[in-house]
Amino acid sequence: MTDPQPSTPSLPDDTAAPSWPPVAVPGQPAESTAPPADEDLGDASKAVPASEGPQILEDLRAQIKRYVAMSSEEAVTAVTLWVAATHLQGAWQHAPRLAIVAPEKRCGKSRLLDVVTETVHKRLITVNASAAAIFRSIDGDDPPTLLVDEADTMFSTGKAAEKNEEVRGLINAGHQRGRPTLRVSGPEHDVQEFATFAMAALAGIGDLPDTIMDRAVVIRMRRRAASERVVSFRTGRDTPALHAIRERLRAWLHPLHAQALEMEPPMPVEDRAADTWEPLVAVADLAGGNWPVRAPSACRSMTDYETGQNQEGDLRSRLLVDIRSAFMAIGDPALLSTRQLLEALNADKEGPWAEYKGSDKGLTPRHLQLLLKPYGINATNRRFPGGAQARGYARTQFLDTWARYCPEPGPAAEPAPAAGEPLPNTAA
């Protein structure tokens, strides 16, 4: 596949295809619920029975595993459902991002993006495009699928991130329907709205900006082990089979547009994670078979993992978790003095506090005060059992903050399998 020119997104596959009927808000009927006519798609895109949905997803799943050594079965499931969801973008309220990230090169992220590129709806490929080029390429009625390789180069340094701040804002805005960008254009300086809503896959080394990761299904790649075997990808030889799957996805899903508009599947997660994963879970429900079991399982485990990653990387979240552990370690007393709390935090040799900011004294009362200030938690003079007085914290000060920012995970409720269908042998 020929690389696109820098700063210019390649044209979508179906630039001449008729637009879908405009859909302002999913759940409300459009003027027509019929999918667009596909006169030039050939026999592969003739309508297929809905019962073939599970097999089409299985075939796509097999193709992904054929070329890429994925880190988990859940990740394969997530990519499969994300690709399928691109073929019903007009039905979704949110356009989930797919963040394909790796700790270093040669982990298969670009190869996975190759497979995704050949199977998504109306691909729009770029390496280093400007925000203006991207939003001028987005059709509001029939959004393309934006594909960005080497995304880390746009945000890896402060200077690069500043230069590409508009692109980051565009990617964030495009996650939700009805967030256009405004530009002044023409000799009359008219204000013009440009659509931003479109699903997007971004591949890069290292994590992408937090605001993008928070809106993404995150696929963490790893270098292939010697025992893991995959087939090398050759454009001329391998794309016809991938294109055939793409057309089967289109033929299966486009007639289900009206049904997808009305769907609100029960979600195993909440808030933005639910917004991001809902199209994938909806596609799984449309497919049936064991996909309605696989999708929530993948959603729950992958979201839980990313929550753990965030807590580990976010110092304030880590502090809240460690303070809760400090209270629990001595029986959840009503009060802890500042001295007791700091001793507990700095005693954890695996934590960041003993060498906080390079100090041999570790976390200090001043540091603790500054870290807790955004939550409205402050140390005050307290009277402790026995009559002693000291500055410290009450456990009740943290209860609301713990519940909001680092709730303890409860037991996960397993979704009931469809009647008569066995559970899959492995989590996927």
PDB file of all heavy atoms in Angstrom, residues 311-312 314-323 341-364 367-368 371:
ATOM      1  N   GLN A 311      -4.166   4.537  37.394  1.00  0.00           N
ATOM      2  CA  GLN A 311      -3.870   4.735  38.802  1.00  0.00           C
ATOM      3  C   GLN A 311      -2.379   4.664  39.058  1.00  0.00           C
ATOM      4  O   GLN A 311      -1.847   5.367  39.905  1.00  0.00           O
ATOM      5  CB  GLN A 311      -4.605   3.683  39.641  1.00  0.00           C
ATOM      6  CG  GLN A 311      -6.100   3.914  39.730  1.00  0.00           C
ATOM      7  CD  GLN A 311      -6.784   2.895  40.617  1.00  0.00           C
ATOM      8  OE1 GLN A 311      -6.159   1.967  41.105  1.00  0.00           O
ATOM      9  NE2 GLN A 311      -8.074   3.063  40.807  1.00  0.00           N
ATOM     10  N   GLU A 312      -1.680   3.823  38.313  1.00  0.00           N
ATOM     11  CA  GLU A 312      -0.257   3.698  38.506  1.00  0.00           C
ATOM     12  C   GLU A 312       0.465   4.924  37.992  1.00  0.00           C
ATOM     13  O   GLU A 312       1.461   5.370  38.556  1.00  0.00           O
ATOM     14  CB  GLU A 312       0.235   2.450  37.752  1.00  0.00           C
ATOM     15  CG  GLU A 312       1.430   1.787  38.381  1.00  0.00           C
ATOM     16  CD  GLU A 312       1.716   0.457  37.734  1.00  0.00           C
ATOM     17  OE1 GLU A 312       0.958  -0.482  37.972  1.00  0.00           O
ATOM     18  OE2 GLU A 312       2.694   0.391  36.979  1.00  0.00           O
ATOM     19  N   ASP A 314      -0.936   8.089  37.462  1.00  0.00           N
ATOM     20  CA  ASP A 314      -1.420   9.344  38.015  1.00  0.00           C
ATOM     21  C   ASP A 314      -1.042   9.395  39.490  1.00  0.00           C
ATOM     22  O   ASP A 314      -1.549   8.642  40.309  1.00  0.00           O
ATOM     23  CB  ASP A 314      -2.938   9.421  37.843  1.00  0.00           C
ATOM     24  CG  ASP A 314      -3.504  10.754  38.298  1.00  0.00           C
ATOM     25  OD1 ASP A 314      -2.909  11.425  39.156  1.00  0.00           O
ATOM     26  OD2 ASP A 314      -4.578  11.113  37.800  1.00  0.00           O
ATOM     27  N   LEU A 315      -0.182  10.343  39.827  1.00  0.00           N
ATOM     28  CA  LEU A 315       0.371  10.396  41.180  1.00  0.00           C
ATOM     29  C   LEU A 315      -0.704  10.628  42.226  1.00  0.00           C
ATOM     30  O   LEU A 315      -0.689  10.016  43.303  1.00  0.00           O
ATOM     31  CB  LEU A 315       1.433  11.495  41.241  1.00  0.00           C
ATOM     32  CG  LEU A 315       2.552  11.307  42.264  1.00  0.00           C
ATOM     33  CD1 LEU A 315       3.299  10.012  42.006  1.00  0.00           C
ATOM     34  CD2 LEU A 315       3.520  12.482  42.208  1.00  0.00           C
ATOM     35  N   ARG A 316      -1.642  11.507  41.917  1.00  0.00           N
ATOM     36  CA  ARG A 316      -2.676  11.787  42.913  1.00  0.00           C
ATOM     37  C   ARG A 316      -3.579  10.577  43.145  1.00  0.00           C
ATOM     38  O   ARG A 316      -3.959  10.282  44.280  1.00  0.00           O
ATOM     39  CB  ARG A 316      -3.504  13.001  42.485  1.00  0.00           C
ATOM     40  CG  ARG A 316      -2.772  14.320  42.650  1.00  0.00           C
ATOM     41  CD  ARG A 316      -3.741  15.500  42.551  1.00  0.00           C
ATOM     42  NE  ARG A 316      -3.085  16.737  42.893  1.00  0.00           N
ATOM     43  CZ  ARG A 316      -2.476  17.543  42.025  1.00  0.00           C
ATOM     44  NH1 ARG A 316      -2.460  17.205  40.742  1.00  0.00           N
ATOM     45  NH2 ARG A 316      -1.891  18.648  42.416  1.00  0.00           N
ATOM     46  N   SER A 317      -3.943   9.883  42.061  1.00  0.00           N
ATOM     47  CA  SER A 317      -4.751   8.674  42.225  1.00  0.00           C
ATOM     48  C   SER A 317      -3.982   7.629  43.019  1.00  0.00           C
ATOM     49  O   SER A 317      -4.549   6.940  43.876  1.00  0.00           O
ATOM     50  CB  SER A 317      -5.156   8.109  40.863  1.00  0.00           C
ATOM     51  OG  SER A 317      -6.048   8.965  40.199  1.00  0.00           O
ATOM     52  N   ARG A 318      -2.693   7.501  42.737  1.00  0.00           N
ATOM     53  CA  ARG A 318      -1.854   6.548  43.486  1.00  0.00           C
ATOM     54  C   ARG A 318      -1.829   6.927  44.964  1.00  0.00           C
ATOM     55  O   ARG A 318      -1.896   6.053  45.856  1.00  0.00           O
ATOM     56  CB  ARG A 318      -0.446   6.546  42.907  1.00  0.00           C
ATOM     57  CG  ARG A 318       0.587   5.716  43.693  1.00  0.00           C
ATOM     58  CD  ARG A 318       0.264   4.237  43.650  1.00  0.00           C
ATOM     59  NE  ARG A 318       1.165   3.475  44.481  1.00  0.00           N
ATOM     60  CZ  ARG A 318       2.268   2.863  44.016  1.00  0.00           C
ATOM     61  NH1 ARG A 318       2.577   2.956  42.729  1.00  0.00           N
ATOM     62  NH2 ARG A 318       3.036   2.170  44.821  1.00  0.00           N
ATOM     63  N   LEU A 319      -1.737   8.214  45.258  1.00  0.00           N
ATOM     64  CA  LEU A 319      -1.708   8.654  46.649  1.00  0.00           C
ATOM     65  C   LEU A 319      -3.004   8.283  47.370  1.00  0.00           C
ATOM     66  O   LEU A 319      -2.981   7.803  48.507  1.00  0.00           O
ATOM     67  CB  LEU A 319      -1.477  10.163  46.713  1.00  0.00           C
ATOM     68  CG  LEU A 319      -1.484  10.779  48.117  1.00  0.00           C
ATOM     69  CD1 LEU A 319      -0.353  10.188  48.957  1.00  0.00           C
ATOM     70  CD2 LEU A 319      -1.349  12.305  48.026  1.00  0.00           C
ATOM     71  N   LEU A 320      -4.147   8.497  46.713  1.00  0.00           N
ATOM     72  CA  LEU A 320      -5.422   8.150  47.342  1.00  0.00           C
ATOM     73  C   LEU A 320      -5.498   6.664  47.656  1.00  0.00           C
ATOM     74  O   LEU A 320      -5.953   6.258  48.735  1.00  0.00           O
ATOM     75  CB  LEU A 320      -6.581   8.547  46.430  1.00  0.00           C
ATOM     76  CG  LEU A 320      -6.792  10.048  46.209  1.00  0.00           C
ATOM     77  CD1 LEU A 320      -7.903  10.271  45.188  1.00  0.00           C
ATOM     78  CD2 LEU A 320      -7.118  10.765  47.512  1.00  0.00           C
ATOM     79  N   VAL A 321      -5.045   5.832  46.716  1.00  0.00           N
ATOM     80  CA  VAL A 321      -5.054   4.388  46.937  1.00  0.00           C
ATOM     81  C   VAL A 321      -4.134   4.021  48.094  1.00  0.00           C
ATOM     82  O   VAL A 321      -4.476   3.199  48.964  1.00  0.00           O
ATOM     83  CB  VAL A 321      -4.642   3.650  45.647  1.00  0.00           C
ATOM     84  CG1 VAL A 321      -4.458   2.161  45.918  1.00  0.00           C
ATOM     85  CG2 VAL A 321      -5.673   3.864  44.551  1.00  0.00           C
ATOM     86  N   ASP A 322      -2.952   4.630  48.137  1.00  0.00           N
ATOM     87  CA  ASP A 322      -1.992   4.300  49.192  1.00  0.00           C
ATOM     88  C   ASP A 322      -2.456   4.801  50.566  1.00  0.00           C
ATOM     89  O   ASP A 322      -2.185   4.161  51.588  1.00  0.00           O
ATOM     90  CB  ASP A 322      -0.622   4.888  48.844  1.00  0.00           C
ATOM     91  CG  ASP A 322       0.055   4.135  47.711  1.00  0.00           C
ATOM     92  OD1 ASP A 322      -0.469   3.073  47.316  1.00  0.00           O
ATOM     93  OD2 ASP A 322       1.096   4.604  47.223  1.00  0.00           O
ATOM     94  N   ILE A 323      -3.141   5.929  50.598  1.00  0.00           N
ATOM     95  CA  ILE A 323      -3.687   6.406  51.879  1.00  0.00           C
ATOM     96  C   ILE A 323      -4.757   5.446  52.381  1.00  0.00           C
ATOM     97  O   ILE A 323      -4.817   5.119  53.573  1.00  0.00           O
ATOM     98  CB  ILE A 323      -4.236   7.836  51.735  1.00  0.00           C
ATOM     99  CG1 ILE A 323      -3.088   8.832  51.555  1.00  0.00           C
ATOM    100  CG2 ILE A 323      -5.077   8.222  52.953  1.00  0.00           C
ATOM    101  CD1 ILE A 323      -3.534  10.260  51.274  1.00  0.00           C
ATOM    102  N   LEU A 341       0.714   8.908  58.972  1.00  0.00           N
ATOM    103  CA  LEU A 341       0.386   8.685  57.567  1.00  0.00           C
ATOM    104  C   LEU A 341       1.637   8.756  56.699  1.00  0.00           C
ATOM    105  O   LEU A 341       1.861   7.912  55.829  1.00  0.00           O
ATOM    106  CB  LEU A 341      -0.646   9.712  57.107  1.00  0.00           C
ATOM    107  CG  LEU A 341      -1.167   9.564  55.680  1.00  0.00           C
ATOM    108  CD1 LEU A 341      -1.700   8.166  55.423  1.00  0.00           C
ATOM    109  CD2 LEU A 341      -2.254  10.608  55.397  1.00  0.00           C
ATOM    110  N   LEU A 342       2.502   9.747  56.967  1.00  0.00           N
ATOM    111  CA  LEU A 342       3.725   9.880  56.171  1.00  0.00           C
ATOM    112  C   LEU A 342       4.674   8.710  56.418  1.00  0.00           C
ATOM    113  O   LEU A 342       5.339   8.243  55.481  1.00  0.00           O
ATOM    114  CB  LEU A 342       4.414  11.203  56.496  1.00  0.00           C
ATOM    115  CG  LEU A 342       3.714  12.451  55.962  1.00  0.00           C
ATOM    116  CD1 LEU A 342       4.394  13.704  56.480  1.00  0.00           C
ATOM    117  CD2 LEU A 342       3.699  12.464  54.430  1.00  0.00           C
ATOM    118  N   GLU A 343       4.746   8.241  57.661  1.00  0.00           N
ATOM    119  CA  GLU A 343       5.597   7.082  57.936  1.00  0.00           C
ATOM    120  C   GLU A 343       5.133   5.868  57.138  1.00  0.00           C
ATOM    121  O   GLU A 343       5.947   5.124  56.586  1.00  0.00           O
ATOM    122  CB  GLU A 343       5.586   6.775  59.438  1.00  0.00           C
ATOM    123  CG  GLU A 343       6.399   7.758  60.273  1.00  0.00           C
ATOM    124  CD  GLU A 343       6.301   7.451  61.771  1.00  0.00           C
ATOM    125  OE1 GLU A 343       5.493   6.549  62.133  1.00  0.00           O
ATOM    126  OE2 GLU A 343       7.003   8.109  62.557  1.00  0.00           O
ATOM    127  N   ALA A 344       3.812   5.678  57.062  1.00  0.00           N
ATOM    128  CA  ALA A 344       3.286   4.541  56.318  1.00  0.00           C
ATOM    129  C   ALA A 344       3.565   4.679  54.828  1.00  0.00           C
ATOM    130  O   ALA A 344       3.951   3.709  54.159  1.00  0.00           O
ATOM    131  CB  ALA A 344       1.789   4.405  56.576  1.00  0.00           C
ATOM    132  N   LEU A 345       3.377   5.867  54.291  1.00  0.00           N
ATOM    133  CA  LEU A 345       3.596   6.089  52.856  1.00  0.00           C
ATOM    134  C   LEU A 345       5.071   5.942  52.498  1.00  0.00           C
ATOM    135  O   LEU A 345       5.430   5.286  51.516  1.00  0.00           O
ATOM    136  CB  LEU A 345       3.085   7.473  52.454  1.00  0.00           C
ATOM    137  CG  LEU A 345       1.572   7.680  52.537  1.00  0.00           C
ATOM    138  CD1 LEU A 345       1.230   9.157  52.299  1.00  0.00           C
ATOM    139  CD2 LEU A 345       0.840   6.811  51.539  1.00  0.00           C
ATOM    140  N   ASN A 346       5.937   6.537  53.276  1.00  0.00           N
ATOM    141  CA  ASN A 346       7.371   6.510  52.955  1.00  0.00           C
ATOM    142  C   ASN A 346       8.009   5.157  53.229  1.00  0.00           C
ATOM    143  O   ASN A 346       9.090   4.866  52.718  1.00  0.00           O
ATOM    144  CB  ASN A 346       8.110   7.594  53.754  1.00  0.00           C
ATOM    145  CG  ASN A 346       7.774   8.992  53.261  1.00  0.00           C
ATOM    146  OD1 ASN A 346       7.538   9.201  52.076  1.00  0.00           O
ATOM    147  ND2 ASN A 346       7.744   9.957  54.170  1.00  0.00           N
ATOM    148  N   ALA A 347       7.326   4.305  54.021  1.00  0.00           N
ATOM    149  CA  ALA A 347       7.867   2.971  54.309  1.00  0.00           C
ATOM    150  C   ALA A 347       7.687   2.011  53.146  1.00  0.00           C
ATOM    151  O   ALA A 347       8.337   0.962  53.103  1.00  0.00           O
ATOM    152  CB  ALA A 347       7.198   2.405  55.564  1.00  0.00           C
ATOM    153  N   ASP A 348       6.822   2.350  52.208  1.00  0.00           N
ATOM    154  CA  ASP A 348       6.575   1.482  51.054  1.00  0.00           C
ATOM    155  C   ASP A 348       7.702   1.661  50.043  1.00  0.00           C
ATOM    156  O   ASP A 348       7.735   2.647  49.297  1.00  0.00           O
ATOM    157  CB  ASP A 348       5.220   1.827  50.418  1.00  0.00           C
ATOM    158  CG  ASP A 348       4.876   0.910  49.258  1.00  0.00           C
ATOM    159  OD1 ASP A 348       5.659  -0.019  48.966  1.00  0.00           O
ATOM    160  OD2 ASP A 348       3.828   1.136  48.620  1.00  0.00           O
ATOM    161  N   LYS A 349       8.602   0.719  50.015  1.00  0.00           N
ATOM    162  CA  LYS A 349       9.778   0.844  49.148  1.00  0.00           C
ATOM    163  C   LYS A 349       9.437   0.716  47.665  1.00  0.00           C
ATOM    164  O   LYS A 349      10.224   1.102  46.804  1.00  0.00           O
ATOM    165  CB  LYS A 349      10.826  -0.213  49.526  1.00  0.00           C
ATOM    166  CG  LYS A 349      11.303  -0.102  50.966  1.00  0.00           C
ATOM    167  CD  LYS A 349      11.837   1.288  51.267  1.00  0.00           C
ATOM    168  CE  LYS A 349      12.314   1.400  52.714  1.00  0.00           C
ATOM    169  NZ  LYS A 349      12.742   2.797  53.041  1.00  0.00           N
ATOM    170  N   GLU A 350       8.270   0.145  47.357  1.00  0.00           N
ATOM    171  CA  GLU A 350       7.878   0.022  45.952  1.00  0.00           C
ATOM    172  C   GLU A 350       7.062   1.218  45.480  1.00  0.00           C
ATOM    173  O   GLU A 350       6.749   1.334  44.294  1.00  0.00           O
ATOM    174  CB  GLU A 350       7.067  -1.264  45.745  1.00  0.00           C
ATOM    175  CG  GLU A 350       7.868  -2.527  46.009  1.00  0.00           C
ATOM    176  CD  GLU A 350       7.074  -3.778  45.711  1.00  0.00           C
ATOM    177  OE1 GLU A 350       5.906  -3.638  45.303  1.00  0.00           O
ATOM    178  OE2 GLU A 350       7.616  -4.883  45.887  1.00  0.00           O
ATOM    179  N   GLY A 351       6.688   2.084  46.400  1.00  0.00           N
ATOM    180  CA  GLY A 351       5.923   3.265  46.043  1.00  0.00           C
ATOM    181  C   GLY A 351       6.822   4.431  45.665  1.00  0.00           C
ATOM    182  O   GLY A 351       8.048   4.370  45.818  1.00  0.00           O
ATOM    183  N   PRO A 352       6.219   5.517  45.181  1.00  0.00           N
ATOM    184  CA  PRO A 352       7.011   6.678  44.735  1.00  0.00           C
ATOM    185  C   PRO A 352       7.327   7.672  45.846  1.00  0.00           C
ATOM    186  O   PRO A 352       7.957   8.696  45.576  1.00  0.00           O
ATOM    187  CB  PRO A 352       6.082   7.323  43.691  1.00  0.00           C
ATOM    188  CG  PRO A 352       4.709   7.011  44.190  1.00  0.00           C
ATOM    189  CD  PRO A 352       4.786   5.663  44.863  1.00  0.00           C
ATOM    190  N   TRP A 353       6.917   7.375  47.090  1.00  0.00           N
ATOM    191  CA  TRP A 353       6.953   8.427  48.107  1.00  0.00           C
ATOM    192  C   TRP A 353       8.287   8.539  48.826  1.00  0.00           C
ATOM    193  O   TRP A 353       8.676   9.639  49.230  1.00  0.00           O
ATOM    194  CB  TRP A 353       5.820   8.191  49.107  1.00  0.00           C
ATOM    195  CG  TRP A 353       4.524   7.875  48.426  1.00  0.00           C
ATOM    196  CD1 TRP A 353       3.805   6.729  48.516  1.00  0.00           C
ATOM    197  CD2 TRP A 353       3.824   8.706  47.499  1.00  0.00           C
ATOM    198  NE1 TRP A 353       2.694   6.783  47.718  1.00  0.00           N
ATOM    199  CE2 TRP A 353       2.675   7.999  47.078  1.00  0.00           C
ATOM    200  CE3 TRP A 353       4.055   9.987  46.984  1.00  0.00           C
ATOM    201  CZ2 TRP A 353       1.762   8.519  46.167  1.00  0.00           C
ATOM    202  CZ3 TRP A 353       3.152  10.513  46.078  1.00  0.00           C
ATOM    203  CH2 TRP A 353       2.025   9.786  45.674  1.00  0.00           C
ATOM    204  N   ALA A 354       8.995   7.431  49.004  1.00  0.00           N
ATOM    205  CA  ALA A 354      10.250   7.479  49.757  1.00  0.00           C
ATOM    206  C   ALA A 354      11.292   8.356  49.074  1.00  0.00           C
ATOM    207  O   ALA A 354      12.172   8.922  49.738  1.00  0.00           O
ATOM    208  CB  ALA A 354      10.800   6.069  49.957  1.00  0.00           C
ATOM    209  N   GLU A 355      11.197   8.478  47.754  1.00  0.00           N
ATOM    210  CA  GLU A 355      12.146   9.320  47.013  1.00  0.00           C
ATOM    211  C   GLU A 355      11.407  10.419  46.250  1.00  0.00           C
ATOM    212  O   GLU A 355      11.823  10.839  45.174  1.00  0.00           O
ATOM    213  CB  GLU A 355      12.954   8.460  46.047  1.00  0.00           C
ATOM    214  CG  GLU A 355      13.790   7.395  46.741  1.00  0.00           C
ATOM    215  CD  GLU A 355      14.548   6.517  45.764  1.00  0.00           C
ATOM    216  OE1 GLU A 355      14.357   6.699  44.537  1.00  0.00           O
ATOM    217  OE2 GLU A 355      15.334   5.667  46.212  1.00  0.00           O
ATOM    218  N   TYR A 356      10.316  10.880  46.821  1.00  0.00           N
ATOM    219  CA  TYR A 356       9.486  11.876  46.143  1.00  0.00           C
ATOM    220  C   TYR A 356      10.276  13.145  45.860  1.00  0.00           C
ATOM    221  O   TYR A 356      10.904  13.710  46.749  1.00  0.00           O
ATOM    222  CB  TYR A 356       8.257  12.189  46.998  1.00  0.00           C
ATOM    223  CG  TYR A 356       7.268  13.134  46.339  1.00  0.00           C
ATOM    224  CD1 TYR A 356       6.536  12.738  45.228  1.00  0.00           C
ATOM    225  CD2 TYR A 356       7.087  14.423  46.830  1.00  0.00           C
ATOM    226  CE1 TYR A 356       5.635  13.587  44.618  1.00  0.00           C
ATOM    227  CE2 TYR A 356       6.182  15.287  46.232  1.00  0.00           C
ATOM    228  CZ  TYR A 356       5.458  14.866  45.126  1.00  0.00           C
ATOM    229  OH  TYR A 356       4.568  15.729  44.524  1.00  0.00           O
ATOM    230  N   LYS A 357      10.254  13.557  44.595  1.00  0.00           N
ATOM    231  CA  LYS A 357      10.974  14.750  44.124  1.00  0.00           C
ATOM    232  C   LYS A 357      12.458  14.700  44.452  1.00  0.00           C
ATOM    233  O   LYS A 357      13.116  15.726  44.656  1.00  0.00           O
ATOM    234  CB  LYS A 357      10.344  16.024  44.705  1.00  0.00           C
ATOM    235  CG  LYS A 357       8.960  16.340  44.148  1.00  0.00           C
ATOM    236  CD  LYS A 357       8.487  17.694  44.597  1.00  0.00           C
ATOM    237  CE  LYS A 357       7.147  18.055  43.960  1.00  0.00           C
ATOM    238  NZ  LYS A 357       7.214  18.236  42.503  1.00  0.00           N
ATOM    239  N   GLY A 358      12.999  13.484  44.534  1.00  0.00           N
ATOM    240  CA  GLY A 358      14.432  13.332  44.762  1.00  0.00           C
ATOM    241  C   GLY A 358      14.885  13.637  46.166  1.00  0.00           C
ATOM    242  O   GLY A 358      16.093  13.725  46.428  1.00  0.00           O
ATOM    243  N   SER A 359      13.964  13.766  47.103  1.00  0.00           N
ATOM    244  CA  SER A 359      14.325  14.112  48.481  1.00  0.00           C
ATOM    245  C   SER A 359      14.634  12.858  49.278  1.00  0.00           C
ATOM    246  O   SER A 359      13.907  11.868  49.200  1.00  0.00           O
ATOM    247  CB  SER A 359      13.178  14.881  49.145  1.00  0.00           C
ATOM    248  OG  SER A 359      13.414  15.036  50.527  1.00  0.00           O
ATOM    249  N   ASP A 360      15.703  12.912  50.086  1.00  0.00           N
ATOM    250  CA  ASP A 360      16.012  11.771  50.938  1.00  0.00           C
ATOM    251  C   ASP A 360      15.080  11.704  52.139  1.00  0.00           C
ATOM    252  O   ASP A 360      15.084  10.731  52.900  1.00  0.00           O
ATOM    253  CB  ASP A 360      17.464  11.824  51.408  1.00  0.00           C
ATOM    254  CG  ASP A 360      17.824  13.128  52.112  1.00  0.00           C
ATOM    255  OD1 ASP A 360      16.927  13.990  52.261  1.00  0.00           O
ATOM    256  OD2 ASP A 360      18.986  13.299  52.509  1.00  0.00           O
ATOM    257  N   LYS A 361      14.262  12.738  52.333  1.00  0.00           N
ATOM    258  CA  LYS A 361      13.277  12.737  53.405  1.00  0.00           C
ATOM    259  C   LYS A 361      11.945  12.142  52.954  1.00  0.00           C
ATOM    260  O   LYS A 361      11.045  11.934  53.774  1.00  0.00           O
ATOM    261  CB  LYS A 361      13.043  14.164  53.910  1.00  0.00           C
ATOM    262  CG  LYS A 361      14.266  14.819  54.532  1.00  0.00           C
ATOM    263  CD  LYS A 361      13.935  16.220  55.022  1.00  0.00           C
ATOM    264  CE  LYS A 361      15.152  16.886  55.653  1.00  0.00           C
ATOM    265  NZ  LYS A 361      14.848  18.262  56.117  1.00  0.00           N
ATOM    266  N   GLY A 362      11.798  11.888  51.670  1.00  0.00           N
ATOM    267  CA  GLY A 362      10.559  11.350  51.159  1.00  0.00           C
ATOM    268  C   GLY A 362       9.459  12.392  51.151  1.00  0.00           C
ATOM    269  O   GLY A 362       9.698  13.604  51.117  1.00  0.00           O
ATOM    270  N   LEU A 363       8.228  11.916  51.148  1.00  0.00           N
ATOM    271  CA  LEU A 363       7.068  12.802  51.143  1.00  0.00           C
ATOM    272  C   LEU A 363       7.016  13.582  52.452  1.00  0.00           C
ATOM    273  O   LEU A 363       7.172  13.019  53.539  1.00  0.00           O
ATOM    274  CB  LEU A 363       5.804  11.963  50.976  1.00  0.00           C
ATOM    275  CG  LEU A 363       4.519  12.685  50.541  1.00  0.00           C
ATOM    276  CD1 LEU A 363       4.657  13.226  49.130  1.00  0.00           C
ATOM    277  CD2 LEU A 363       3.328  11.725  50.625  1.00  0.00           C
ATOM    278  N   THR A 364       6.811  14.885  52.385  1.00  0.00           N
ATOM    279  CA  THR A 364       6.766  15.749  53.557  1.00  0.00           C
ATOM    280  C   THR A 364       5.337  16.228  53.802  1.00  0.00           C
ATOM    281  O   THR A 364       4.476  16.100  52.920  1.00  0.00           O
ATOM    282  CB  THR A 364       7.673  16.974  53.357  1.00  0.00           C
ATOM    283  OG1 THR A 364       7.119  17.783  52.297  1.00  0.00           O
ATOM    284  CG2 THR A 364       9.092  16.562  52.990  1.00  0.00           C
ATOM    285  N   HIS A 367       4.339  18.511  50.952  1.00  0.00           N
ATOM    286  CA  HIS A 367       4.017  17.782  49.718  1.00  0.00           C
ATOM    287  C   HIS A 367       2.628  17.158  49.807  1.00  0.00           C
ATOM    288  O   HIS A 367       1.833  17.226  48.863  1.00  0.00           O
ATOM    289  CB  HIS A 367       5.041  16.661  49.467  1.00  0.00           C
ATOM    290  CG  HIS A 367       6.413  17.151  49.163  1.00  0.00           C
ATOM    291  ND1 HIS A 367       7.546  16.455  49.540  1.00  0.00           N
ATOM    292  CD2 HIS A 367       6.848  18.267  48.506  1.00  0.00           C
ATOM    293  CE1 HIS A 367       8.612  17.118  49.134  1.00  0.00           C
ATOM    294  NE2 HIS A 367       8.207  18.214  48.504  1.00  0.00           N
ATOM    295  N   LEU A 368       2.338  16.526  50.942  1.00  0.00           N
ATOM    296  CA  LEU A 368       1.056  15.856  51.131  1.00  0.00           C
ATOM    297  C   LEU A 368      -0.094  16.852  51.035  1.00  0.00           C
ATOM    298  O   LEU A 368      -1.118  16.585  50.387  1.00  0.00           O
ATOM    299  CB  LEU A 368       1.039  15.148  52.484  1.00  0.00           C
ATOM    300  CG  LEU A 368      -0.172  14.270  52.800  1.00  0.00           C
ATOM    301  CD1 LEU A 368      -0.327  13.154  51.774  1.00  0.00           C
ATOM    302  CD2 LEU A 368      -0.060  13.702  54.206  1.00  0.00           C
ATOM    303  N   LEU A 371      -0.653  17.850  47.345  1.00  0.00           N
ATOM    304  CA  LEU A 371      -1.236  16.791  46.536  1.00  0.00           C
ATOM    305  C   LEU A 371      -2.721  16.588  46.835  1.00  0.00           C
ATOM    306  O   LEU A 371      -3.506  16.253  45.949  1.00  0.00           O
ATOM    307  CB  LEU A 371      -0.475  15.480  46.751  1.00  0.00           C
ATOM    308  CG  LEU A 371       0.922  15.396  46.114  1.00  0.00           C
ATOM    309  CD1 LEU A 371       1.667  14.178  46.622  1.00  0.00           C
ATOM    310  CD2 LEU A 371       0.817  15.356  44.590  1.00  0.00           C
TER     311      LEU A 371
END
